[in-house]
Amino acid sequence: MADEAVASRPAEPAAPKAKEARSPEAPPRGGGRGDDRAKDAPERADAPEPTDTSDSADDEAGEREKERERAADRFKDRTRDPLTEEEGEEGPTDAAAAARARREGQKLLSSNRDLIGFDRSDIGQVHIGDINVRLDALRSGLLMRDGPVPAEELLRIRRTHIEPDGYVRLRRALEARRLLVLGGAPGTGRASTALALLEEVTRAGEGRENSERVRRADPARGVRELATQVAGGTGGHPRGTGYLLEPALDRPGTLPPDGMDLDQLASALAEQGSYAVVVVSVGSAANPLLAGRYGAICPPAPTRELVAVRLRQRLEEEHGDPVRGGGAGGPGGGDGRGPRDGDGSRDAGGGRDRNGGAHRDRGRDEHADRDGGPDGGGDGRRDGDGGRGRDGRAGRDGGRSGDRPGRGAGPDGDGSLSLLLERAAELREDPEVTEAVGLDDLRPAEAELFASLLAGHLRGTVSRAELLSGCRGLAAVQAYEWFAGVDRALAAPPPGDGRTPVRSGTAALFHPVAFRIALAVLGGASHSAVSAAAHLLTWELSVQSDPDSTPARPLFCDDPEADLALSRARPADGVVDVAGSEVTGRLIFYRGSALPAAVLAELWDRHFPVRAPVVRWLRLLADDPRPQVSMRAAVAAGELSVRDFEHGYAELIRPLAEAPTPRRRVFAATALDQAAGHASHRRAVRKVVDNWSLHGTPAQRWTAAMALGYGRCADSMDDTLDTLAEIGVRDDGEQLAVASLNVVRLLTLPECATVLRRLAAWTGHRREEYQDLALVSIVRLALTDVDEVLDDEPGTPLGDRGDWPLLLALAATRPELTGKLADLFWTALNTARSRDVALDALETLLRSASRKDGRAWTREGLAALLPALTAEEQDRRRLDWLLRRMMRDQDRPLAEERARALWRLAVPARQRRSEEEESHG
């Protein structure tokens, strides 16, 4: 409004006095406060002014006024945010971001996964029902030894290997350069792809008549020694041999081969007509090799096709080879193509004749069917890069149409194989089975086990419970493989190649492990936050492993893509909370909902020496000012405490509960609540909270109050409120601020009505501390946004009003509670010590009716609350005065049209007086 308009209005009247009670014919509001109300209630607006002019009366009145001011100041201090770091700090805390981070952390660490129990003495085997599957495909290359690959294994590779995208490009590179450095994450099938490449190129080369034409090279010898061996012809290896080498680059002190070493090996291979594939794990050590002219990344095989092929094999083993037909029903291979015979051709079931030329031009390359030329199937084409056709061809899994493995396969005698394949396709898409697997994509060994479980269930040898339990065990096996013997290489001697080894390299060794742990704890946070936390944990692990040395932390050797590949992680664009605002960021998740819990279970249950550095690391995360870090870490700490509550309580919860900073105490309270979410630990957690609230230190009582605010750390809502009241009124209300905050948090739970009844009872309590607890809670209810205290996801009535004051959101979504809410807020407005703060809160509510751009905001909640709040003449006079004060505010004047709209929301037309109509239109 213009200054002239403001000046033209009459002078602003004094604020109306707080009213003692409603009219005699109306019921009392907010619960009567008995005799104690009188000592604090201000004079009635229509009471006559005192006429005593004596000095003693003036002094007495002055003292009373000063006492009222002191009481108001004390009350205002109790309405401060108890989560601020220091008393008197005015800056807001990001409670909404903390609530969201806690909610997202709980989703990622679901606590009800029934992990399968394996024989820990031999995790290399899984025995479920009558299924005994070895998981050696996930083992490190250090277990390989020098020697020929058996013919049976080569035959199996030819028949069952699923070619990844880009396979043809890899084969052509190997044929052209004789040497290929193949990179990928362990367990993704890179060694199988390497064997398939070597088997194919040597079968067409000089070593085609040699039954031992593919050999594994000793990983301990390295590229240089292999080059010397090939060039000198030592070892009796014939020409045309294919070599598979997996160098141990992850051993501390081991230097990767350089470009000259690879050139020397390639030259020796060319002289002997031989080939070699060097398999390495992606990461900083192998990146120079993969970036060179011999390097290539090996994509993983497609999960659905891999499972379909393995499943068909298992069922065919039970039923025998199906009738030979075209397309997907080729015998023996189980991959819809038919087996390759000794000269590289396919039989009639695969669509090619035995001479390999009936369906292609004689002048074409021997592998034209893979390079993209048509074969006998007609629609089984590949592009020039080896990518699978996407146009509805007869799939290698027995018919890709509709993802039904059995379609296109010739049935056996009674058609039972086709029926089993149909049932198998439905079973593997079962939502319960998918949830139990908990992995976005399966690796070869996992696909083997999954197919065995499905086939066993279809044959009746594996029960439904065993099927689901076995599926849940896939993530547990992956976690075991990630951690088993990680630092065993630290005890290995340095390489004997004559070169000086680098520093011990513990940081490089532990970083992949630390990244997986950090991702399990902080999954869904920004990639940078997870990476920074991983480096902190790498330091802690390195110091614990070698306390006499300072760990080296390379600054320019991080490879984010390698971190993702080695940890089965995926990036995603999302929203990050920064200083109360949402900004776009790059988030990171595991590729599978089962992996975070499996990683933490494996870490805590089997690797006890790791607990000390992880505890130190979690304490560091508790101090992180970013809620996306500290709250997720608190949820993970609660889950770890469930697995060993004695250790978690002694090392994490109790020390942080006694910390001087609110942030650490909130961490401990969140961990306690997470543990209380497990029925097995709920009783113990409630006992801890009860003991702290009765006999604990002030810091422990503060932590207990925060834990109670989640609603799971007491036997009932009444018990929760009793305990919060005991904490709040003790020691002259020292903890009243935090107690009132958690009373407000309870109002978002279904038992909201119980909380409101208790607040009304406290307002009439004989002790002033109980009255103050109720009044502070009421004022805080009006000043707290829903997002700051709500655990619900968006999509619920309250969740969709996240930026609303909780008081108005409840009035809009719970109309049966509106009267109680209005009575409680009326009590705060009509009590002298809370009046000023309550009026400021009411002004905040009124200004939230519409947004700055004019769009409606909390108007629906105000429309429900204001009529109940202004039922009496005195209440309407107060609203009239407040609206006029807001209109005259020099800094934030309220527009006249908005004031009129608010007045009409609150006061029906028949109750408006003429002077009010003149003021508000």
Side-chain angles (χ1 to χ4, degrees):
M1 296 176 64
D3 292 341
E4 294 80 7
V6 175
S8 65
R9 292 189 176 275
E12 181 179 344
K17 299 290 186 178
K19 187 176 179 181
E20 172 63 23
R22 299 182 67 190
S23 58
E25 63 272 12
R29 302 196 64 161
R33 280 139 75 68
D35 297 337
D36 285 353
R37 177 189 292 268
K39 69 177 182 179
D40 192 50
E43 302 155 357
R44 294 173 56 99
D46 54 355
E49 295 293 331
T51 59
D52 188 358
T53 59
S54 65
D55 293 341
S56 59
D58 290 343
D59 292 341
E60 185 178 349
E63 285 299 323
R64 285 198 302 269
E65 182 63 26
K66 290 180 180 179
E67 178 58 32
R68 282 195 292 267
E69 291 177 357
R70 286 193 292 268
D73 289 340
R74 287 195 301 270
F75 185 89
K76 184 176 182 179
D77 184 64
R78 287 171 172 175
T79 61
R80 63 177 173 82
D81 187 354
L83 303 181
T84 52
E85 291 292 337
E86 299 177 357
E87 289 190 13
E89 183 177 338
E90 296 295 337
T93 55
D94 203 350
R100 283 190 291 270
R102 172 178 172 268
R103 184 167 62 240
E104 292 165 2
Q106 288 179 322
K107 285 193 301 184
L108 291 177
L109 288 175
S110 56
S111 58
N112 58 350
R113 292 192 61 82
D114 178 24
L115 298 181
I116 185 173
F118 293 103
D119 179 5
R120 295 299 188 179
S121 62
D122 186 10
I123 196 70
Q125 300 186 45
V126 178
H127 183 78
I128 303 171
D130 64 347
I131 298 172
N132 189 13
V133 180
R134 293 195 62 83
L135 302 174
D136 291 339
L138 294 174
R139 296 294 187 182
S140 168
L142 289 173
L143 299 180
M144 294 185 177
R145 290 295 180 266
D146 190 16
V149 178
E152 295 80 5
E153 183 173 352
L154 293 179
L155 179 61
R156 181 185 62 82
I157 290 290
R158 288 170 53 195
R159 289 187 169 184
T160 65
H161 180 253
I162 303 297
E163 298 169 0
D165 288 333
Y167 180 87
V168 172
R169 184 177 66 252
L170 297 176
R171 192 199 68 226
R172 287 174 173 172
L174 179 59
E175 290 173 337
R177 299 188 179 96
R178 299 282 177 170
L179 174 63
L180 181 66
V181 179
L182 195 60
T188 56
R190 44 186 195 154
S192 297
T193 298
L195 287 175
L197 289 168
L198 290 172
E199 190 277 334
E200 192 167 350
V201 297
T202 56
R203 180 160 37 89
E206 299 180 36
R208 67 173 63 91
E209 303 299 330
N210 179 17
S211 60
E212 298 181 351
R213 64 179 184 273
V214 178
R215 303 183 62 88
R216 288 190 174 95
D218 189 348
R221 295 181 179 178
V223 170
R224 280 189 172 184
E225 189 166 342
L226 178 60
T228 302
Q229 182 180 8
V230 172
T234 59
H237 304 164
R239 293 176 59 84
T241 299
Y243 299 92
L244 172 62
L245 173 64
E246 296 190 50
L249 300 182
D250 57 347
R251 297 178 63 181
T254 300
L255 293 175
D258 53 31
M260 294 184 63
D261 295 333
L262 297 177
D263 288 340
Q264 182 182 0
L265 176 58
S267 177
L269 291 168
E271 291 177 2
Q272 296 294 323
S274 299
Y275 303 89
V277 178
V278 179
V279 175
V280 297
S281 294
V282 292
S284 58
N287 282 348
L289 302 179
L290 297 174
R293 59 179 172 275
Y294 301 104
I297 297 294
C298 179
T303 294
R304 300 179 68 84
E305 190 169 354
L306 192 63
V307 172
V309 170
R310 298 293 185 262
L311 181 58
R312 186 180 182 88
Q313 285 180 276
R314 292 287 179 266
L315 295 177
E316 286 180 349
E317 289 172 2
E318 176 74 12
H319 286 266
D321 287 347
V323 177
R324 296 190 179 185
D335 57 359
R337 295 178 297 172
R340 305 171 190 167
D341 61 15
D343 59 355
S345 61
R346 300 185 186 275
D347 62 17
R352 291 175 57 188
D353 66 3
R354 288 204 169 268
N355 296 323
H359 302 298
R360 53 185 170 86
D361 298 336
R362 293 182 180 273
R364 286 194 176 188
D365 181 88
E366 179 183 355
H367 305 287
D369 61 307
R370 291 195 181 186
D371 295 341
D375 60 12
D379 54 356
R381 294 183 291 273
R382 289 181 175 271
D383 57 23
D385 191 38
R388 294 182 304 280
R390 306 293 183 186
D391 54 355
R393 65 180 175 83
R396 282 188 266 175
D397 59 346
R400 292 296 293 273
S401 175
D403 194 36
R404 300 284 186 173
R407 297 190 190 280
D412 54 7
D414 57 1
S416 59
L417 178 59
S418 298
L419 294 177
L420 283 177
L421 290 172
E422 292 284 348
R423 290 175 55 199
E426 297 174 359
L427 182 61
R428 70 178 182 179
E429 300 298 333
D430 187 314
E432 191 175 10
V433 172
T434 302
E435 189 278 334
V437 171
L439 299 172
D440 293 350
D441 45 55
L442 298 180
R443 293 180 171 179
E446 296 163 350
E448 189 85 10
L449 175 57
F450 184 48
S452 298
L453 290 168
L454 293 176
H457 182 65
L458 293 172
R459 296 196 305 263
T461 58
V462 174
S463 67
R464 174 87 176 179
E466 289 176 324
L467 169 66
L468 297 178
S469 183
C471 291
R472 294 187 182 104
L474 294 174
V477 173
Q478 173 64 94
Y480 171 84
E481 294 292 339
W482 274 342
F483 292 101
V486 167
D487 55 351
R488 188 176 295 122
L490 290 175
D497 56 6
R499 291 179 292 174
T500 302
V502 296
R503 298 179 65 178
S504 61
T506 55
L509 181 67
F510 287 129
H511 179 70
V513 175
F515 191 88
R516 292 161 188 155
I517 299 172
L519 184 56
V521 171
L522 303 179
S526 64
H527 195 168
S528 61
V530 174
S531 181
H535 279 293
L536 286 177
L537 182 55
T538 299
W539 177 276
E540 295 291 345
L541 295 174
S542 300
V543 170
Q544 185 78 11
S545 176
D546 187 7
D548 296 329
S549 302
T550 301
R553 182 178 179 181
L555 301 180
F556 298 99
C557 293
D558 274 8
D559 185 352
E561 298 304 321
D563 289 340
L564 296 177
L566 293 174
S567 300
R568 300 182 75 162
R570 62 177 177 85
D573 292 333
V575 173
V576 179
D577 291 293
V578 179
S581 301
E582 294 183 350
V583 297
T584 302
R586 188 172 189 256
L587 311 183
I588 183 172
F589 302 85
Y590 268 117
R591 295 185 62 84
S593 60
L595 286 172
V599 166
L600 294 184
E602 173 67 23
L603 176 74
W604 218 241
D605 293 347
R606 289 185 51 81
H607 304 283
F608 296 105
V610 178
R611 289 187 175 187
V614 170
V615 165
R616 294 196 299 269
W617 174 68
L618 287 173
R619 290 180 180 178
L620 291 175
L621 298 187
D623 293 326
D624 197 295
R626 295 168 295 181
Q628 65 163 325
V629 174
S630 59
M631 293 303 291
R632 283 182 168 88
V635 171
E639 287 297 313
L640 294 176
S641 297
V642 168
R643 308 203 72 83
D644 188 346
F645 193 73
E646 177 189 17
H647 186 272
Y649 175 77
E651 298 296 331
L652 277 172
I653 295 176
R654 188 176 64 186
L656 294 179
E658 297 170 349
T661 59
R663 185 174 288 119
R664 284 196 161 201
R665 298 199 294 266
V666 170
F667 185 101
T670 304
L672 271 176
D673 172 73
Q674 187 66 18
H678 297 254
S680 58
H681 288 71
R682 193 167 298 144
R683 182 178 179 182
V685 170
R686 291 174 177 175
K687 183 66 174 177
V688 168
V689 172
D690 190 54
N691 286 338
W692 283 357
S693 62
L694 293 176
H695 312 295
T697 64
Q700 288 177 336
R701 294 200 303 273
W702 195 99
T703 305
M706 288 301 299
L708 288 165
Y710 290 113
R712 297 192 293 192
C713 292
D715 293 333
S716 67
M717 181 59 71
D718 284 327
D719 290 340
T720 300
L721 293 167
D722 287 340
T723 307
L724 283 173
E726 292 171 359
I727 295 172
V729 304
R730 184 173 173 179
D731 297 334
D732 295 326
E734 178 185 357
Q735 307 282 2
L736 193 145
V738 70
S740 65
L741 170 64
N742 288 285
V743 170
V744 172
R745 294 172 64 198
L746 295 174
L747 286 167
T748 63
L749 302 179
E751 301 93 333
C752 176
T754 302
V755 181
L756 294 179
R757 284 196 299 270
R758 184 62 65 89
L759 286 174
W762 287 341
T763 61
H765 201 281
R766 297 188 61 85
R767 290 182 58 185
E768 186 174 316
E769 291 84 358
Y770 280 92
Q771 298 170 17
D772 282 351
L773 176 59
L775 293 171
V776 172
S777 300
I778 295 164
V779 172
R780 198 181 297 280
L781 172 62
L783 297 175
T784 301
D785 287 347
V786 172
D787 270 345
E788 299 177 25
V789 292
L790 185 68
D791 284 336
D792 290 350
E793 292 282 354
T796 63
L798 282 180
D800 288 339
R801 295 169 173 83
D803 61 348
W804 284 36
L806 181 57
L807 176 61
L808 298 182
L810 288 173
T813 60
R814 301 284 299 273
E816 74 277 9
L817 302 178
T818 301
K820 295 179 181 178
L821 293 168
D823 282 347
L824 290 170
F825 197 55
W826 182 92
T827 302
L829 288 168
N830 286 273
T831 303
R833 61 183 180 274
S834 62
R835 180 184 60 211
D836 292 342
V837 179
L839 278 174
D840 291 341
L842 179 58
E843 178 177 344
T844 302
L845 297 179
L846 294 173
R847 290 188 182 277
S848 71
S850 58
R851 303 184 188 275
K852 292 181 179 180
D853 58 3
R855 292 182 295 118
W857 187 1
T858 65
R859 182 183 177 89
E860 178 188 0
L862 288 169
L865 181 69
L866 288 179
L869 191 62
T870 59
E872 298 293 332
E873 177 67 20
Q874 174 70 12
D875 305 327
R876 291 191 291 273
R877 288 178 59 190
R878 176 173 48 231
L879 179 62
D880 170 65
W881 170 86
L882 181 58
L883 287 173
R884 282 185 282 139
R885 189 185 78 170
M886 294 168 62
M887 293 170 65
R888 299 174 188 276
D889 191 322
Q890 296 294 323
D891 297 323
R892 301 174 59 201
L894 182 69
E896 291 187 23
E897 60 273 16
R898 292 192 178 185
R900 287 196 298 269
L902 290 170
W903 179 252
R904 289 168 178 170
L905 279 179
V907 183
R910 65 180 182 275
Q911 296 179 353
R912 300 173 196 155
R913 295 185 292 116
S914 59
E915 63 269 22
E916 292 163 348
E917 286 294 311
E918 181 181 351
S919 297
H920 307 297

